[in-house]
Amino acid sequence: MTTEQPATAAIGDARPRIEGRLKVTGAARYAADEPAPDLAHGWMITATVARGRISAVDASAALGMPGVLGVLDHRNAPRLDPRAGNYFGPDGSLLLLQDDVVPYAGRPVVLVVAETPEQARAAAGAVVVTYEPYPHDVDFRLDHPAARAASTAFGPEADTGDIEAELAASAVVVDERYRTPEENCSAMEPHAATAWWQDGHLHAVDSNQGPFSVSQVLSTLFGVDRDHVHIRAEHVGGGFGAKGLCGPQMILAAMASRSFGRPVRVVLTREQVFLATALRPPTDQWLRIGADADGRLRAVHHRPAFALSPLAEYIEWCTEQAKTLYAAPAIRTELTAVPLDILPPSPMRGPGATPGSFALESAMDEVAERLGLDPLDLRLRNQPAVGPVSGLPFSSRRSVACLREGARRFGWAGRDRRPRTRREGRLLIGTGLAATCFSAGVFPSTASITAEADGTFTVAVGATDIGTGARTALTAVAADTLGVGTERVRIRIADSDLSMAWNAGGSRGTTSWSFAITQAAAKLRERLGDPARPVTTTVDTTALIDYQPATERHTFSAVFAEVSVDPATGEVRVRRMLGMFAVGRVINPLLARSQVVGGMIMGLSMALHEEGVRDPATGRQVNPDFAGYHIAAHADVPDIEAEFVPDYEPQDPLGLNGLGEIGTAGTAAAIANAVWHATGVRQRTLPIRLDRVLEDEGAEVRGAVGVA
């Protein structure tokens, strides 16, 4: 593919999003807004025990209440095909209302259907579900007796060089554990679906990140042809991974519609979103890093564990950075899975990379601290020329540019690296940084472009806009690849009938859809001399993708943070953040900056606030709402600057890479490192809560000698 940047008009232009006016005026319809004739409403009841069986369901009182159409549970619900799965194969969490087994607290066990949502909710309160509880296990830790090697579907683990010999020969060895809690995706729009059956076809408006993949799951679950499943997700109020799978609202709405012969809408409450939809699993990560006295790394040994459910396979790929960011003679990674009685985890923004970078970049700062080196210099001294594990060249590697330009803009050169040296009154001030990367690439997608009789072009691709501005970005791509103005391009997205397309996820949505559009446009240009209109071309990129390229492909970033810490209260406030990003060509700087700034805010939230807490006695999450599960609010968000270094991805015909995840990964580590610089105390467990920072009278002495 070419490495030259073509002269274009729309790509690179900071245009506001096409659907912006619809959203700010309230005209945009989300899944819960879709009108439907004769609409009924379902209300979900979730299990209160973490493991056990349902011994009885008494719905007699509910069935006699006004407006109630019926109650579905494991005794009368439509049967589902157990072969249905998501990314990693069969997924038992999809098999709702199929038996009396309760595999986790929050499992949907009953659906009450009524004429109005108020009637359904009232009737759900009258249903009595009795459980026989079994002993459960939610005790997550790296040394759990059930721990096993994680799936290697993302590639083999690293094992280069002699780890023990290199550690023994190192002048400094950091040997520490880093922990991150369970986190929830917390999208603004709760999960919602409106479903109806007509002539053997399933139709639905759903809140999801990939209508085509959801249609595939539903096709298997209900035993109908994929072409008979029609899913739309016109507007989605955030996803962050939680809507990347076929959600319980969609399955239950389809089941109820089939049972009662009319459209049914299921909208989850905020608590139900927490209990029954995707979560980032907790991690417990053991890191050993050895270095020479001059700061050259000799060994990196990363052994992270994450929780998962026996219902479904999953990979929280925390080891990507250890295999990519820094050169060392010996690198070993051992990704470990710990089965527990929890909801199956799924990807959350920056999956694997976000908790993994917190551990690795915190440990790198600890190496710098013990060697008396500047953390920036340590990172610059250990940049690899090729993939440290694969030995492959990088298609593009702009990590150094991110670090150097970020340091210049942030004013890093004037920093005193000693901790606890900068004060403003009673506040301790510190700065920190982190570098990171995220794998990039494309997945198969289909795109069709029609040259209309009026001189316009209709572009159809099964993309999903979850608030990222995908419509606007893809319009620019189509306009430039067709050689016309954006006013001549109409875009159709978010419909499974538009054929196969990758989800909005994995930082591969826009690149995958753009690749398909680019190929379709090239094919169409060959036919534009034909006077007949309309003319349509369609391209499926499955056979065009190089699945084993001879280079490593990643995006890179460097995040810098300044914090203030009040040692008397334990309060940490982030004052300013700067992120520098290398993400290939930027289609739309306005939308791209919004994406990475939003990612950095999520990283701030992870660093200081977010923590899903489970009661060991019940196995149930005890803070499934925004009162107990804290996320960053406007008052928590400081001055944030985000910029892009010039970059071009040679594996892509337009030089593009994805950028949805890279803003989140790395941010928590930068903040944690800044807190150490302020206080002299290392925070190895997230979030950095007040009680973990609050100092006693001996803190001054400990901080002065750098004791954590």
Side-chain angles (χ1 to χ4, degrees), residues 195-211:
W196 63 98
W197 292 83
Q198 184 176 354
D199 300 327
H201 289 237
L202 172 59
H203 301 262
V205 178
D206 183 35
S207 183
N208 66 59
Q209 293 175 228

Side-chain angles (χ1 to χ4, degrees), residues 154 156-158 285 302 304 315-326 331 333 335 350-354 356-357 360 388-389 394 397 436-440 506 508 552-556 661-662 665:
F154 288 166
E157 292 297 328
Q285 305 180 57
H302 190 189
I315 306 171
E316 185 72 10
W317 197 27
C318 298
T319 55
E320 177 189 357
Q321 287 77 27
K323 295 191 284 187
T324 307
L325 275 180
Y326 304 113
I331 299 176
T333 60
L335 190 59
T354 300
S357 66
L360 179 64
V389 175
F394 293 99
R397 184 183 175 93
T436 196
C437 64
F438 195 84
S439 62
R508 286 167 169 79
E552 287 197 22
R553 182 175 175 180
H554 306 273
T555 56
F556 295 91
E661 333 278 339
I662 193 68

Side-chain angles (χ1 to χ4, degrees), residues 325-341:
L325 275 180
Y326 304 113
I331 299 176
R332 180 185 298 167
T333 60
E334 300 174 78
L335 190 59
T336 303
V338 179
L340 298 174
D341 299 316

Side-chain angles (χ1 to χ4, degrees), residues 86-87 191 207-210 213-214 239-246 278 346-347 503-504:
N86 281 303
Y87 303 127
H191 294 56
S207 183
N208 66 59
Q209 293 175 228
S213 65
V214 169
F240 312 117
K243 297 173 183 174
L245 310 177
C246 184
S346 66
N503 286 5

Side-chain angles (χ1 to χ4, degrees), residues 165-173 289-293 297-299:
E166 295 293 346
L167 287 170
S170 296
V172 164
V173 174
I289 300 182
D292 287 334
L297 299 186
R298 299 186 68 105

